[in-house]
Amino acid sequence: AQSVTQPDIHITVSEGASLELRCNYSYGATPYLFWYVQSPGQGLQLLLKYFSGDTLVQGIKGFEAEFKRSQSSFNLRKPSVHWSDAAEYFCAVGAPGGGNKLTFGTGTQLKVEL
Amino acid sequence: DTGVSQNPRHKITKRGQNVTFRCDPISEHNRLYWYRQTLGQGPEFLTYFQNEAQLEKSRLLSDRFSAERPKGSFSTLEIQRTEQGDSAMYLCASTSPSRGANYGYTFGSGTRLTVV
């Protein structure tokens, strides 16, 4: 069965600083990988996804993520954080052919200091 | 694309009561998923439908839980004899695999259940 680890529960960055959120997954083959963002009391919005091909994927709101097979990682990055990026971020893994069912990490809460 | 709609947004119920939630997916999406999210955790898969067929249920879905999607459009999730441990956010998502493997979910805003 697949699993996802997000080792950082909380991260605080200053507005304008760069951001990297860590995600490690466990799966026997190349999984489908996703990053979602959730604002308080809201559902989840898809930021970006990786299925195959180029290991650096671009998403919405200026986010990008890099798939590193050797490290079983899919870290999310943003060069310059805006105050509106404060939210909770979830990494998720899906098994190809698994009915698109996703396994989520426990999330990283991002706080942005002005 | 009107998005995924969930009703109600909030539900407070007494322990032992039955509750029912509704999810209206994006109209052309044939797959519909239910997830549960407790405080401080990521969403956990409960069940999913392809059209009206319920194809998979998690072991998290005890026999007090039942989900339906009678006409392959909206879905309902019912919890019978609610317990305090059922307090969570219940999220619905939909997708359309026919558009290609790289088409992600669209989530609704969820139903927050509080059992008192």
Side-chain angles (χ1 to χ4, degrees):
Chain A
Q2 62 260 35
S3 66
V4 177
T5 301
Q6 293 182 249
D8 303 306
I9 299 173
H10 299 279
I11 283 186
T12 299
V13 299
S14 299
E15 190 175 35
S18 63
L19 172 70
E20 183 169 26
L21 302 182
R22 296 183 290 164
C23 172
N24 292 94
Y25 69 89
S26 174
Y27 183 67
T30 300
Y32 297 161
L33 294 162
F34 305 82
W35 275 99
Y36 284 85
V37 61
Q38 186 178 34
S39 297
Q42 300 297 313
L44 287 83
Q45 181 182 23
L46 180 65
L47 287 176
L48 46 77
K49 52 192 179 286
Y50 173 78
F51 287 84
S52 64
D54 192 347
T55 57
L56 184 63
V57 294
Q58 302 297 319
I60 62 171
K61 304 185 180 185
F63 286 92
E64 65 179 29
E66 186 171 12
F67 169 59
K68 292 185 177 179
R69 184 192 307 275
S70 61
Q71 298 175 19
S72 297
S73 70
F74 188 57
N75 294 349
L76 181 72
R77 301 193 295 248
K78 187 169 185 178
S80 177
V81 170
H82 188 263
W83 64 266
S84 60
D85 293 325
E88 189 149 25
Y89 292 79
F90 292 94
C91 181
V93 60
N100 293 104
K101 180 179 64 178
L102 299 183
T103 299
F104 286 83
T106 52
T108 297
Q109 185 71 48
L110 174 65
K111 181 179 176 182
V112 180
E113 290 183 332
L114 301 177
Chain B
D1 182 349
T2 56
V4 177
S5 175
Q6 291 190 248
N7 288 288
R9 290 294 309 274
H10 304 274
K11 178 71 176 178
I12 299 174
T13 190
K14 292 184 178 178
R15 187 163 48 96
Q17 298 294 305
N18 300 345
V19 294
T20 300
F21 312 139
R22 177 178 170 126
C23 172
D24 288 89
I26 292 172
S27 57
E28 62 267 30
H29 286 182
N30 59 355
R31 280 197 181 165
L32 184 149
Y33 302 78
W34 286 98
Y35 283 78
R36 181 171 68 188
Q37 185 179 23
T38 53
L39 207 59
Q41 299 296 317
E44 296 174 295
F45 170 77
L46 292 178
T47 187
Y48 89 95
F49 293 83
Q50 181 157 309
N51 300 313
E52 66 277 9
Q54 188 173 18
L55 296 188
E56 188 173 346
K57 292 193 292 186
S58 162
R59 278 171 284 182
L60 292 175
L61 213 64
S62 76
D63 55 8
R64 296 185 297 104
F65 287 71
S66 62
E68 294 183 338
R69 195 182 182 196
K71 296 182 180 179
S73 56
F74 73 91
S75 175
T76 57
L77 177 68
E78 181 183 17
I79 309 175
Q80 296 183 325
R81 306 180 304 280
T82 52
E83 302 172 356
Q84 287 190 320
D86 297 330
S87 296
M89 175 80 90
Y90 290 84
L91 294 163
C92 177
S94 68
T95 190
S96 177
S98 62
R99 293 195 181 197
N102 58 349
Y103 192 77
Y105 286 2
T106 300
F107 275 91
S109 297
T111 294
R112 167 79 61 192
L113 173 66
T114 303
V115 181
V116 298

